């Protein structure tokens, strides 16, 4: 008993005795009844919070019937349909009515929106048109060089007698600045790209600093580079880089002229007419065209004019449709076929963007190209190739991007007849492999697939020395992966194609082809054919470890096989599948492949399995993943691998063969010991297994099942300590202890709980959660509350004292070094009082089937109750001491909160007919309010609650209590 | 900053025809009030002739430049001496483009030996302490489009080594045959020159085919006439070894400022001609 002098404001708390709780006697069953929610019959009203959208919709529909609003308003309102409300749509009578209310206007709406959409389609390219931007990267990656490049600004001296004035004017356009005719030689590819990027930047700079002429000069310089075909294998990439600059320029000019038209008040509509353009803008626009028309050299003149093609819209309605054919025929003047075809590709690109409805010039471009096709085999080109040491097959591939693009533009939403005509035209030319390839990559897959046999025949006829054949087969394969050929041809196609593919000598060529054709095989054939194909790939890729160079392709093969074979028992019965996996010898690739397989398994496997083939194969796969984990593995990676392995473990079930199941878990534990989440999963699985067993035996274990359950429990007990996360261990101990208790393994349960108790002191103050250090107290508090609830039903061990575990836990809590300035310990103590009051009841609130808890063991023995009371006294003393200390430390807010918390506990669990306890509660009430830190609302609510309780039977003393509890009004 | 003087012509392209009214505003911006002795606006049009060094020799060419021939000259007193308020003052003006007597308003033209130029000049006379302000601004005169439809006169041409002039050793030239046609030999100056050209055959690889626009200016003076041909514009229509037998378009936009319709007067003459070159 503390000396009186230390009792700060003791008169308020009252003379301290050792309080015992005097727990209220409770009848849990009746309390349960009274607490249960009242059953209210469910009414399906018209109102639903998720439904307002459908209501507004019906409104707009009605309006459109009057014909006043445009159809767009209603269609837009229905387009923002909430996914939730769309579920309601069918069942709700109101929206049903709205949907069928006015079929005529609905149809009209549909019609007009469709018309509108058609119109839009006509003016702009739809989303099904593969844009240039997606091709760009591909081209840049594909056409590279190690040769040295150079940027040479050609000095052009105009011939004969030119007046000084004219000369300067021309030079002004030709040269970037005085003395800029420098040559940049010996650039590496990267330098070259950087240099072009610099030019792009300086174009923007010049433009923004209002140096329009300089900007034009830069653009001209850039497009001049396109007439240079040295280092020809880089040309397509150069084309991409430079046309980027041209695009920038075109956009800048267009926007500038557009900005001149904007009268600060009204901005132009998208489809403006030339009449609405003011004179200044027109004049500026004309000036640009005049300036460009006087560019001396053909190639820059063409490119720059094409770049600002869109500006024709400002001048006249027919401007673009007149310009396109002229520019198309202008390209005829370009001698080099590669340069010319790229120019055509650019014109088509600009044309598609600005006026996709002008198809004629697209076709004309292609026909012009066909006319000049013979040039490719002419002397000029051949001589050039000899000088540059470029082989014909390589040279021909340089044409592909441009031709592909042109054909793609032509084929976009083109009628079947046109495609056939195009194909016939291509056929007529000698060595048409190049064209054939482009046709295959640009035309609709359905078109190609339907004529697969024709294509195969054509490919076979092609000249060996020309365009590489494997590329042709690859293109065909790509089409067949997208569209199905006629049923009757399928096997023949595969046979014909594979006959050629298997003869390819170069492993890279081979695998590029095979990769594509695997998809076709998987799509249309059974595991037998796939097996053959895989075997063939293995045969080709194994010599000289060729597979090392082809991991991406091999990986994509695996992915395709997995996509088409969802049934893993079939997949693993493909004999060559596992040998195929063996080709992935680089660890990171192998793990990637394993991950893919496991992802597919988790996604597609519907039922749990015990198929030994699948289990063996997947255990092998998982083992590979697990073994890749080392000290350097990232947390995320580990988490992902563990999730995949866990997914697999969950899918394994041996049905009623529990022993087999357990031994599988044991095996898995030995295999995956490095991944903690997997161990946690295994413990949960084993616990579940134990509970399954209990369920099967309906709670009555036979000798055999009891032994099995003990084995399960033992599994958990020895596995838990190997975990490093302390809370995982604590929770699993508790959880496993509960499972052991449920299976009547009392001593094992005791062992779990003891282990948990002895682990609590090791809980660190800070724990790492998702890479951040956080205080562990809240977790500990949660765990301990959970633990105490379990301890209520754990029977005392006959050899240990009464309440051995509770006392042990209290001691641990007492000794634990709690955070300074923190009341968690006291909160726990208050919670312990809940436990203790529950323990004094005659019948406990819950039980475990077939386990006698302390209520039955002691049968309300007075000695037992006295023991509990003793513990109560100690705990209450601790609480009150702490309250006093808080008062001394001037931590008055915390004091108020704790006092109220304690007050509530007494209110709920204490028997307030006991005078001492009654007095204590009044004192606590006053203490809570004393320093004005109490929340008035809470206090009022509490008081109301007490008054309400007092009306219940046997609770009349609450009324008196309420009278003794003053409410402090806040001043 | 002191006072700024600017002339703004109403038409954005500054092109006017004979008989039309040239209108615009003179803009005076100043922070303070401007004291001035009167503002006047002068419209001038003149033909400047320069003798070619080739025909008359250096000295004469330098000194004996022929006196400019004035076509039009009129002055307008815009504001009487007085004060202008601070800020921006806009004074509108109008000039009828009419000539006296038998003079003709020739088209604006910038050549080597012949120059026809029209200017508007605004003068603000000020007191002795401040400098007079002057601002000049060129405007462009085009003659009225010709009445009556121009009959196109298409022409076919063939170029072979034999047809070339001023070639020294004809035998050394590689064989070639180029055919083509022009849609018309006399063209409307505002419309582009159009035609086609086919390289039927050529022994050597073609590097470039260019289209050269040449003008002929003739100046007359006391000593006689001087006739000079100069290149105005050179446009490449084929780059590299073009495909044989494929028609290549011939297309050239006439640079408006440096070309003018063929014109003949007593004192000077301007004409155009073009050639095809092959390297």
């Amino acid at each position: 008993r503390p000396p009186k002098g230390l009792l700060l404001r003791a008169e308020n708390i009252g003379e301290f005795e050792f309080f015992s709780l005097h727990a209220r006697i409770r009848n849990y069953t009746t309390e349960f009844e009274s607490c249960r929610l009242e059953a209210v019959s469910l009414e399906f009203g018209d109102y639903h919070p998720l439904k307002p959208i459908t209501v507004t919709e019906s409104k707009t529909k009605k309006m459109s019937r009057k014909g006043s609003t445009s159809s767009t308003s209603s269609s837009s309102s229905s387009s923002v349909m909430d996914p939730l409300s769309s579920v309601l749509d069918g069942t709700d009578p109101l929206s049903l009515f709205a949907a069928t209310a006015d079929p005529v206007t609905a149809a009209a709406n549909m019609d007009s929106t469709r018309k509108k959409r058609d119109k839009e389609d006509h003016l702009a390219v739809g989303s099904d048109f593969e844009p240039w931007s997606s091709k760009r990267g591909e081209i840049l990656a594909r056409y590279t060089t190690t040769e040295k490049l150079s940027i040479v600004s050609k000095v052009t001296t105009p011939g004969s007698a030119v007046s000084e004035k004219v000369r300067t004017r021309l030079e002004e356009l030709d040269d970037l600045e005085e003395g800029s005719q420098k040559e940049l030689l010996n650039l590496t590819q990267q330098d070259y790209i950087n240099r072009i990027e610099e030019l792009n930047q300086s174009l923007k700079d010049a433009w923004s600093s209002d140096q329009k002429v300089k900007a034009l000069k830069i653009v001209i310089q850039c497009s001049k580079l396109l007439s240079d075909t040295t280092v020809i294998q880089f040309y397509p990439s150069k084309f991409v880089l430079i046309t980027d600059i041209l695009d920038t320029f075109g956009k800048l000019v267009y926007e500038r002229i557009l900005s001149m038209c904007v009268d600060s008040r009204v901005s132009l509509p998208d489809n403006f007419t030339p009449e609405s353009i003011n004179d200044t803008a027109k004049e500026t626009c004309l000036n640009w065209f005049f300036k460009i028309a006087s560019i001396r050299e053909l190639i820059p003149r063409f490119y720059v004019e094409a770049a600002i093609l869109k500006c024709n819209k400002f001048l006249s309605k027919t401007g673009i449709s007149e310009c396109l054919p002229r520019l198309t025929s202008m390209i005829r003047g370009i001698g080099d076929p590669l340069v010319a075809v790229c120019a055509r590709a650019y014109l088509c690109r600009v044309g598609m963007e600005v006026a996709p409805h002008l198809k004629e010039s697209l076709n004309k471009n292609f026909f012009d190209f066909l006319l000049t096709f013979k040039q490719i085999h002419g002397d000029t080109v051949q001589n050039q190739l000899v000088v540059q040491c470029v082989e014909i097959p390589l040279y021909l591939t340089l044409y592909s991007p441009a031709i592909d693009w042109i054909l793609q533009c032509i084929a976009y939403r083109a009628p079947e007849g046109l495609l056939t005509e195009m194909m016939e035209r291509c056929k007529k030319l000698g060595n048409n492999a190049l064209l054939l390839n482009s046709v295959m990559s640009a035309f609709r897959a359905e078109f190609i697939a339907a004529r697969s046999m024709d294509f195969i025949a054509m490919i076979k006829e092609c000249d060996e020395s020309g365009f590489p054949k494997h590329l042709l087969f690859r293109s065909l394969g790509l089409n067949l992966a997208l569209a199905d050929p006629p049923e009757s041809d399928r096997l023949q196609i595969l046979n014909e194609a594979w006959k050629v593919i298997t003869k390819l000598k170069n492993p890279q060529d081979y695998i590029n082809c095979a990769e594509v054709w695997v998809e076709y095989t998987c799509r249309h054939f059974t595991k037998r054919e796939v097996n053959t194909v895989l075997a063939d790939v293995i045969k080709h890729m194994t010599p000289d470890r060729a597979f090392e160079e082809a991991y991406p392709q091999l990986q994509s093969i695996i992915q395709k096989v997995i996509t088409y074979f969802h049934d893993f028992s079939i997949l693993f019965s493909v004999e060559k599948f596992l040998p195929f996996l063996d080709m992935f010898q680089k660890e990171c690739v192998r793990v990637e492949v394993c991950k893919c397989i496991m992802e597919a398994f988790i996604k597609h496997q519907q039922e749990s399995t015990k198929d030994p083939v699948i289990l063996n194969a997947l255990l092998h796969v998982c083992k590979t993943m697990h073994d890749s984990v080392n000290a350097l593995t990232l947390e995320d990676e580990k988490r992902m691998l563990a999730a995949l392995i866990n997914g697999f473990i969950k899918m394994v079930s041996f049905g009623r063969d529990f022993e087999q199941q357990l031994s599988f878990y044991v095996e898995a534990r030995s295999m995956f010991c490095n991944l903690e989440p997997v161990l946690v999963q295994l413990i949960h699985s084993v616990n579940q297994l134990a509970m399954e067993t209990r369920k099967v035996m309906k709670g009555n274990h036979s000798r055999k099942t009891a032994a099995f359950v003990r084995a399960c429990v033992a599994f958990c007990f020895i596995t838990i300590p190997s975990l490093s996360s302390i809370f995982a261990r604590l929770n699993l101990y508790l959880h496993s202890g509960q499972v052991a208790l449920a299976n009547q393994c009392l001593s094992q349960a005791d062992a779990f709980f003891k282990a948990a108790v002895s682990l609590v002191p090791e809980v660190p103050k800070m724990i790492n959660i998702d890479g951040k250090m956080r205080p562990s107290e809240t977790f500990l508090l949660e765990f301990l509350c959970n633990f105490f609830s379990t301890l209520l039903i754990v029977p005392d061990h006959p050899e240990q004292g009464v309440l051995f575990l509770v006392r042990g836990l209290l001691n641990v809590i007492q000794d634990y070094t709690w955070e300074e300035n923190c009341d968690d310990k006291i909160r726990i103590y208050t919670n312990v009082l809940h436990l203790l009051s529950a323990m004094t009841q005659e019948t406990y609130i819950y039980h475990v089937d077939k386990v006698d808890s302390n209520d039955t063991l002691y049968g309300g023995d007075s000695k037992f109750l006295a023991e509990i009371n003793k513990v109560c006294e100690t705990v209450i003393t601790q609480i009150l001491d702490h309250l006093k200390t808080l008062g001394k430390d001037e931590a008055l807010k915390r004091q108020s909160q704790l006092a109220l918390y304690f007050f509530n506990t007494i209110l709920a669990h204490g028997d307030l007919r006991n005078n001492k306890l009654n007095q204590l509660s009044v004192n606590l009430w006053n203490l809570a309010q004393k320093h004005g830190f109490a929340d008035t609302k809470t206090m009022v609510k509490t008081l109301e609650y007490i008054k309400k309780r007092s009306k219940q039977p046997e609770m009349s003393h609450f009324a008196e209590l309420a009278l003794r509890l003053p409410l402090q009004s806040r001043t | 900053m002191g006072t700024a003087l600017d002339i703004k012509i109403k038409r954005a392209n500054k092109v006017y025809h004979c008989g039309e009214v040239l209108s615009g505003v003179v803009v005076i911006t100043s922070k303070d009030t401007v004291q001035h002795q009167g503002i006047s606006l002068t419209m001038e049009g003149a033909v400047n002739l320069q003798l070619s060094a080739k025909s008359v020799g250096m000295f004469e060419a330098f000194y004996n430049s022929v006196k400019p021939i004035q076509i039009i000259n009129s002055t307008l007193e815009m504001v009487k001496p007085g004060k202008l308020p601070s800020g921006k003052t806009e004074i509108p003006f109008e000039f009828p483009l009419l000539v006296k007597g038998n003079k003709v308003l020739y088209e604006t033209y910038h050549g080597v030996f012949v120059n026809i130029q029209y200017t508007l000049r605004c003068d603000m006379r000020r007191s002795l302490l401040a400098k007079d302000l002057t601002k000049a601004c060129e405007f462009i005169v085009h003659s009225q489009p010709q009445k009556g439809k121009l009959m196109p006169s298409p022409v076919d041409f063939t170029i072979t080594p034999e047809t070339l002039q001023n070639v020294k050793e004809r035998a050394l030239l590689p064989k070639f045959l180029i055919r083509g046609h022009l849609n018309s030999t006399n063209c409307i100056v505002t419309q582009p020159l159009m035609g086609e050209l086919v390289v039927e055959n050529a022994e050597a690889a073609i590097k470039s085919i260019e289209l050269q626009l040449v003008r002929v200016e003739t100046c007359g003076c006391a000593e006689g006439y001087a006739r000079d041909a100069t290149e105005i514009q050179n446009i490449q229509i084929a780059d590299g070894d073009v495909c044989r037998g494929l028609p290549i378009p011939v297309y050239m936009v006439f640079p408006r400022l440096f070309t003018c319709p063929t014109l003949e007067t007593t004192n000077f003459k301007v004409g155009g001609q073009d050639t095809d070159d092959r390297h």
Side-chain angles (χ1 to χ4, degrees), chain A residues 574-587:
Chain A
V574 174
E575 282 162 42
K576 291 292 178 184
F577 187 76
L578 287 177
F580 194 92
L581 287 185
D582 285 340
M583 281 202 289
F584 296 100
Q585 296 198 351
K586 196 174 167 194
E587 191 175 41

Side-chain angles (χ1 to χ4, degrees), chain A residues 172-416:
Chain A
E172 192 178 279
L173 286 180
D174 280 342
D175 313 330
L176 200 52
E177 51 207 43
E178 207 58 48
S180 74
Q181 295 129 0
K182 56 186 169 192
E183 295 187 8
L184 292 165
L185 294 171
N186 285 332
L187 295 171
T188 64
Q189 183 184 323
Q190 194 51 48
D191 289 344
Y192 192 89
I193 293 170
N194 294 343
R195 174 78 192 128
I196 289 180
E197 186 40 47
E198 270 171 40
L199 282 171
N200 198 0
Q201 196 49 49
S202 55
L203 165 68
K204 285 180 194 156
D205 292 347
W207 190 270
S208 57
S209 60
D210 221 33
Q211 293 172 282
K212 304 288 185 295
V213 176
K214 188 179 172 198
L216 180 60
K217 282 182 210 160
I218 292 171
V219 174
I220 293 171
Q221 285 299 320
C222 288
S223 30
K224 260 187 202 173
L225 295 175
L226 282 176
S227 58
D228 175 21
T229 52
T230 51
V231 195
I232 202 156
Q233 58 269 45
F234 183 63
Y235 191 83
S237 292
K238 183 158 80 172
F239 168 73
V240 168
L241 292 171
I242 289 172
T243 50
D244 279 353
I245 299 184
L246 288 165
D247 286 346
T248 314
F249 176 73
K251 217 165 72 198
L252 289 173
V253 174
Y254 183 81
E255 276 163 9
R256 171 163 155 76
I257 297 175
L258 193 66
S259 73
M260 294 170 82
C261 306
V262 179
D263 262 351
S264 72
R265 279 158 287 147
V266 250
S267 60
L268 278 177
D270 274 349
N271 47 351
F272 56 85
T273 54
E275 290 81 47
S276 58
I277 307 299
N278 63 35
D279 283 349
T280 331
K282 269 187 186 162
E283 195 57 28
T284 319
C285 191
L286 263 179
N287 273 341
W288 278 110
F289 280 111
F290 280 141
K291 200 109 183 163
I292 288 163
S294 68
I295 297 171
R296 203 187 74 83
E297 282 174 76
L298 175 66
I299 289 172
R301 182 153 32 92
F302 164 77
Y303 273 106
V304 181
E305 182 166 359
I308 65 162
L309 185 69
K310 199 179 179 186
C311 296
N312 274 301
K313 277 164 72 180
F314 296 113
L315 296 178
S316 72
K317 266 196 165 152
T318 53
I320 293 174
S321 56
E322 283 162 9
C323 243
L324 271 174
R326 186 170 56 74
L327 287 171
T328 304
S329 55
M330 194 164 156
I331 300 175
R332 290 182 170 190
I334 300 175
D336 189 297
L338 182 59
V339 178
V341 81
C342 284
R344 292 188 191 286
Y346 184 65
L347 187 62
C348 290
R349 184 171 125 201
V350 178
M352 276 307 265
E353 205 177 290
V354 177
H357 53 285
L358 298 174
K359 298 266 186 207
E360 298 77 34
S361 58
L362 295 176
N363 297 349
K364 184 152 186 298
N365 262 309
F366 188 65
F367 295 145
D368 271 5
F369 168 70
L370 293 183
L371 284 175
T372 57
F373 192 71
K374 55 179 188 264
Q375 271 187 296
I376 295 175
H377 301 285
D379 291 340
T380 323
V381 171
Q382 298 298 331
N383 292 341
Q384 196 187 6
L385 294 187
V386 170
V387 173
Q388 292 198 29
C389 304
V390 175
E391 301 278 327
I392 272 279
L394 175 66
Y395 176 68
L396 289 178
T397 57
L398 302 179
Y399 283 80
S400 291
I403 304 178
D404 286 1
W405 180 260
I406 296 173
L407 283 175
Q408 190 196 326
C409 293
I410 292 173
Y412 179 66
R413 290 186 185 168
E416 195 93 337

Side-chain angles (χ1 to χ4, degrees), chain A residues 694 699-701 739-746 748 849-851:
Chain A
R694 182 176 175 273
N700 299 314
H701 280 298
V739 171
L741 204 58
N743 284 296
Q744 300 124 47
C745 305
L746 297 185
Q748 282 85 349
D849 197 21
K850 298 205 169 36
V851 174

Side-chain angles (χ1 to χ4, degrees), chain A residues 160-163 165-166 169 283 290 293-299 301 326 329-330 332-335 371-372 375 380, chain B residues 12-13 110 112 210 212 215 230-243 246-249 251 253 258:
Chain A
S160 67
V162 179
S163 72
K165 217 177 199 169
V166 175
R169 198 176 66 91
E283 195 57 28
F290 280 141
S294 68
I295 297 171
R296 203 187 74 83
E297 282 174 76
L298 175 66
I299 289 172
R301 182 153 32 92
R326 186 170 56 74
S329 55
M330 194 164 156
R332 290 182 170 190
I334 300 175
L371 284 175
T372 57
Q375 271 187 296
T380 323
Chain B
N13 57 6
H110 294 265
V112 187
E210 284 167 25
Q212 193 182 32
R215 67 181 154 206
T230 43
E231 180 191 279
I232 305 170
Q233 177 160 278
N234 192 335
I235 290 280
Q236 188 185 39
I237 56 166
D239 181 17
D241 202 7
V242 289
C243 190
L246 189 72
I248 295 164
Y251 183 89
V253 176
F258 304 99

Side-chain angles (χ1 to χ4, degrees), chain A residues 393 467-474 498 500-517 540-541 546 549-550 553:
Chain A
F467 196 82
K469 255 187 193 179
H470 61 96
L471 289 183
L472 291 172
F473 271 105
R474 190 168 190 272
W498 208 267
V500 182
I501 296 169
T502 193
K503 280 189 199 127
L504 291 169
K505 297 256 162 37
N506 182 336
Q508 275 300 322
D509 294 351
Y510 171 81
I511 195 69
N512 280 331
C513 254
E515 177 204 346
V516 172
W517 280 87
H540 273 83
M541 300 312 288
E549 303 292 318
Q553 290 94 332

Side-chain angles (χ1 to χ4, degrees), chain A residues 783-797:
Chain A
F783 167 73
L784 288 174
C785 292
N786 201 352
F787 198 5
F788 280 127
S789 327
T790 311
L791 285 182
L792 173 66
I793 45 165
V794 179
D796 277 344
H797 195 281

Side-chain angles (χ1 to χ4, degrees), chain A residues 37 87 217 472 563-564 744 843 850 906 918 936 951:
Chain A
L37 283 177
V87 176
K217 282 182 210 160
L472 291 172
T563 339
Y564 286 95
Q744 300 124 47
T843 320
K850 298 205 169 36
I906 294 175
N918 202 317
T936 322
K951 293 190 182 101

